[in-house]
Amino acid sequence: MTDYVLPPDLVASEIEWTLFDNSAVFASPLSGAIRTVSRPGTRWGARLRFRAVSDQDRRRLMSLIAALRGRANRLRLTDPAYTLAGSFSCPELLSNNAAVVNTTGWSSSNAELVLSADSHLGLRLTRSGVTADRYAYQSAITTVASAPYAVRMLLGEGKGNVRASIEVGTSQGATDLVNGATRSSAGYYSDSFTASGTSSHVSFYDYISTRAAGDFQFLSWVSAARCALVNGSSQTGGSLVIDGLPTSTNGLARAGDWFEVNGELKRLTADLNSDSSGNGYLIFEPTLRTSPANNAPVIFRNPMGRFLLAEESTSWATRPGILSDIELSLVEDIT
């Protein structure tokens, strides 16, 4: 099973959200009294409609549909119409973070790692040699000292083994803020760090172990943005204690705002405020499916859910001029 991402520049003409309930309701045939049994498993559905798609965008969508292999693979999706209503400042700090058109903003630490843009899978990291581990990077990001940040990557398979990590430091290529785990399979990964100053450097390492010249892998999507952190382990249900917020601020996020935790997509049902220590209390739906670890990132910038196709088949109509109307019907994967 492989995860893909809908490239952020492919914006649907229309998106329809659905919340699938998993409650059972029974009515007494005698008195009409209603009994409700609430069960876990509430999940999101999304129907994306792309109108009059042509040329390269059409080909890229066709490629994505084919890559999903029906319901075998998964799609990471954020709401393209969403903007945070609260005052929490969490802009995206990496430019060209899907790299499906060009490699602008990206550099390689050595000519042994060649960067190119793939129109479907994003930044391609190709090995011209395997003398040492190399990394792809951008210029330093501006950070707030002592504030937490989330770094995410969607790692894609290419030729040869997948081996990559997220690293963050106070200088280019350094690992003093995050020395990320080596990821040896394609997928969606996140790490968090607390900035030690006003400048931090994010790198995505390409490891040589078990790989050969000519092998390549993909960074299909990456992100670096300020976040909050889970404060305490073993939390369950529809609420969560968090920290790492700006202090003594009301309305950091508003009821109806999205956030992501533990790879799950949630919607706030009450405003998020913080106390004098930067602690906050999230109230949301659907409830947590698994308990997040202490200090797991709580992400408000481009929060993503994990979806699969809701139906066995996907079809589209093409009109003269090679214009297509394409519709994707998705349901959240809650496994």
Side-chain angles (χ1 to χ4, degrees):
M1 185 183 301
T2 301
D3 283 14
Y4 294 91
V5 68
L6 180 66
D9 64 306
L10 289 180
V11 180
S13 305
E14 179 182 342
I15 182 167
E16 175 186 331
W17 286 94
T18 303
L19 187 60
F20 293 103
D21 180 32
N22 201 35
S23 298
V25 178
F26 306 93
S28 169
L30 299 177
S31 65
I34 301 295
R35 181 184 178 190
T36 302
V37 179
S38 181
R39 299 173 295 188
T42 300
R43 60 206 181 277
W44 297 108
R47 190 179 299 273
L48 282 68
R49 299 182 179 93
F50 299 85
R51 306 295 189 197
V53 184
S54 63
D55 197 38
Q56 182 66 7
D57 286 350
R58 179 179 180 273
R59 290 194 294 270
R60 290 167 63 199
L61 279 170
M62 300 300 182
S63 173
L64 179 62
I65 291 169
L68 289 175
R69 294 183 183 175
R71 291 182 287 184
N73 293 322
R74 300 295 184 261
L75 183 67
R76 295 282 176 170
L77 176 68
T78 190
D79 187 345
Y82 170 65
T83 55
L84 181 71
S87 62
F88 188 45
S89 179
C90 51
E92 176 59 59
L93 300 177
L94 296 177
S95 62
N96 193 20
N97 56 337
V100 292
V101 176
N102 54 54
T103 61
T104 300
W106 289 96
S107 299
S108 172
S109 63
N110 187 277
E112 194 175 65
L113 180 64
V114 180
L115 307 182
S116 59
D118 184 273
S119 63
H120 175 203
L121 290 170
L123 189 67
R124 183 191 296 240
L125 285 63
T126 303
R127 277 287 175 167
S128 62
V130 287
T131 301
D133 299 332
R134 307 299 183 186
Y135 58 89
Y137 68 94
Q138 295 195 3
S139 57
I141 61 175
T142 300
T143 50
V144 176
S146 301
Y149 289 81
V151 183
R152 295 176 283 170
M153 70 173 177
L154 188 66
L155 188 60
E157 292 181 341
K159 178 177 180 288
N161 292 334
V162 171
R163 292 188 68 84
S165 72
I166 297 170
E167 311 289 351
V168 186
T170 52
S171 61
Q172 182 183 304
T175 62
D176 49 308
L177 297 179
V178 171
N179 189 0
T182 302
R183 274 69 186 231
S184 56
S185 60
Y188 176 79
Y189 300 104
S190 65
D191 288 306
S192 62
F193 71 96
T194 299
S196 60
T198 58
S199 179
S200 303
H201 295 257
V202 177
S203 305
F204 300 92
Y205 269 74
D206 182 291
Y207 293 113
I208 63 169
S209 177
T210 70
R211 303 182 69 209
D215 285 355
F216 59 87
Q217 57 187 333
F218 296 96
L219 288 177
S220 297
W221 182 85
V222 295
S223 174
R226 189 167 176 178
C227 67
L229 300 174
V230 173
N231 185 3
S233 59
S234 302
Q235 299 190 63
T236 59
S239 61
L240 197 60
V241 179
I242 62 174
D243 58 14
L245 297 168
T247 59
S248 303
T249 307
N250 290 341
L252 285 167
R254 299 290 189 182
D257 279 335
W258 294 105
F259 73 93
E260 173 190 341
V261 63
N262 221 26
E264 301 177 23
L265 186 62
K266 309 299 182 188
R267 193 181 281 279
L268 286 174
T269 56
D271 292 352
L272 171 64
N273 303 331
S274 66
D275 64 17
S276 58
S277 298
N279 299 310
Y281 191 72
L282 294 170
I283 303 174
F284 54 86
E285 292 292 338
T287 57
L288 291 166
R289 294 189 291 275
T290 58
S291 178
N294 183 41
N295 288 328
V298 179
I299 298 166
F300 293 92
R301 178 71 187 187
N302 287 330
M304 287 188 171
R306 189 171 189 249
F307 291 80
L308 70 156
L309 290 173
E311 301 166 352
E312 293 182 354
S313 61
T314 301
S315 58
W316 54 89
T318 300
R319 301 190 297 276
I322 317 182
L323 297 174
S324 296
D325 294 330
I326 301 174
E327 183 173 296
L328 294 178
S329 182
L330 305 168
V331 65
E332 190 178 15
D333 180 9
I334 61 172
T335 57

